[in-house]
Structures are given as C-alpha cells and as structure tokens.
Amino acid sequence: MRRSAVGRLLDEELSAPRVGSLEAACDIIAGRPLTVTLGEIRRALDGPLDGEGKRRLHVLVSTLYHRAGATLALTEELRAAIEAAPAAPSTRKEEPDVL
C-alpha cells in the first residue's frame, strides 16, 4: 500500500535546512485538493504522534490556511485534534534547525 503525502511528511527525515524543507513539503501538499489532504490528516490523527509529528502537522495546517483556502474554523478544529492525538515517544534524533 502506498503511503499518503501526509504520512510521508510525518515519517521522512527532512533535509537541511529543516525548516525550509518542511515548508516546501507543506506547500506541495497544500497544492492538492483540500478534501484529500484533510482525509489524510484525519487518518494520521488516528495513530499516536510524537512531538515532531505534531509540529509538522501544525505547519501543514498553517499552510492550508494561507495557501489552500482552509477556513479559520477548520484550522482551529484541526489544531485541537492534533493536540488531542495520542502521544508517542519520539524515536527521532534531535537535530538543530538550520536557517
């Protein structure tokens, strides 16, 4: 089974600079139909998320608001769902962001 774009965003290591590569990945996802992306986000929220996964989803939600026409009410709903998602311990190695 092929992983979703949101699943890849959560799982794959970001290239340096990490902030720029995260924003670029979110821009690509935001260019797809909003309904598809929302479905993928909701599926991702079914499983546990570590702190980095939650951070990446928050960046994606901001991008959806600014670039894909997501409403403020929708972004608030998604942010609450991200924070309420089951927590998972992080298995990622800590890397400082390079701007």
Side-chain angles (χ1 to χ4, degrees):
M1 186 170 116
R2 186 175 153 186
R3 286 189 308 163
S4 70
V6 172
R8 287 189 305 276
L9 177 72
L10 295 174
D11 295 339
E12 292 179 358
E13 188 172 325
L14 297 171
S15 60
R18 291 179 64 230
V19 172
S21 65
L22 175 58
E23 290 173 345
C26 289
D27 279 340
I28 291 168
I29 294 171
R32 300 173 330 136
L34 185 57
T35 55
V36 172
T37 302
L38 292 175
E40 291 180 7
I41 290 172
R42 290 191 171 106
R43 282 190 297 280
L45 293 173
D46 287 340
L49 292 170
D50 64 8
E52 175 66 12
K54 289 183 178 187
R55 183 179 78 86
R56 291 179 185 194
L57 285 179
H58 278 297
V59 173
L60 176 56
V61 167
S62 291
T63 306
L64 294 176
Y65 175 75
H66 290 286
R67 298 217 167 81
T71 65
L72 181 58
L74 177 59
T75 61
E76 290 172 344
E77 173 191 326
L78 291 171
R79 289 186 186 287
I82 291 166
E83 290 307 311
S90 180
T91 58
R92 303 171 202 260
K93 66 178 183 175
E94 294 296 320
E95 295 180 25
D97 284 335
V98 178
L99 298 178

